Amino acid sequence: MADIHRYAAFTSTPTGGNPAGVVLDARGLDETRMQQIAAEVGYSETAFAFPTGPRRFDLRFFSPLAEVAFCGHATVATAVALAERTTTGDLHFDTPAGEIAISTGTDSSGAVRASLRSVATTSRAAADVEVRDALKALRWNDDDLDGALPPHVAFGGNEHLVLAVRTRERLADLDYDFDALTTLMLERNWTTLQLVWRQDDEVFHSRNPFPVGGVVEDAATGAAAAALGGYLRTLGHATEPRRFTVIQGEDMGRPSRITVDVSPDDPRVTVTGGAVPIPVG
């Protein structure tokens, strides 16, 4: 029987952040059983680690409905869980999206934090029809969007439609058509939508609908944060090394903080956060 751990990622409290299931030794589990476990756990993703060498693992991710190529918060949760049981330092995860290098260490309080270096990010302008269909499913309109941050489809291990809004109030008022957005995302192969409001040059607030995974919304999305870093780099907002914070999950009552580092000469993005065990029961 698989030993399933439960962690909240990108938070310092088990009632915040995004919950992830973690199986640290998934050898002997096939895809059918992994999918069953992910559905039973019920979190947006559960990570399954297969040891392949010293501090190296194959890592796969399953939502309650399907496998996904990459999941940032479950990667951070897995790295923290491994560091707590062995020692901090570097780890290497081979995922369906590519190799992810991880560094783990402790902060001033002694809590373990993990930094993942994403696969190469890309970002392209979203087509008019993509934006139109997404706005319809979201029940938003063109006037809600921030003209200084154009809609893009950004990649950081998965593809995400990035839509920036003009006001925090618009971001807070999220009541989308679940079925319509699911259909659109499946057609476009988008894993989540990265809906953001720019508070200032260093802080972004984010919400991430994830209906294709059977989840209304993610409380913290490391892969989308990496994609956002690549998006800003593509737009020329990282002409020198830059760090910004993504605040997510506030409107769900599970606040999270994701630190993102972007460099102008490197398409890979570093995403950092902590994770804490969720008590059983």
Side-chain angles (χ1 to χ4, degrees), residues 90-160:
D90 293 340
L91 295 162
H92 293 275
F93 293 151
D94 294 299
T95 77
E99 180 182 351
I100 304 294
I102 307 284
S103 62
T104 62
T106 55
D107 62 18
S108 59
S109 71
V112 177
R113 290 176 64 81
S115 295
L116 68 87
R117 197 175 189 201
S118 76
V119 297
T121 60
T122 61
S123 190
R124 65 163 176 84
D128 290 345
V129 65
E130 292 175 321
V131 177
R132 182 199 67 203
D133 290 347
L135 290 177
K136 182 178 179 181
L138 290 167
R139 303 187 176 106
W140 289 1
N141 58 62
D142 289 332
D143 292 339
D144 291 318
L145 300 182
D146 181 349
L149 294 170
H152 265 225
V153 176
F155 174 84
N158 303 304
E159 285 200 331
H160 310 264

Side-chain angles (χ1 to χ4, degrees), residues 125 166 228:
R166 293 188 301 106
L228 182 64

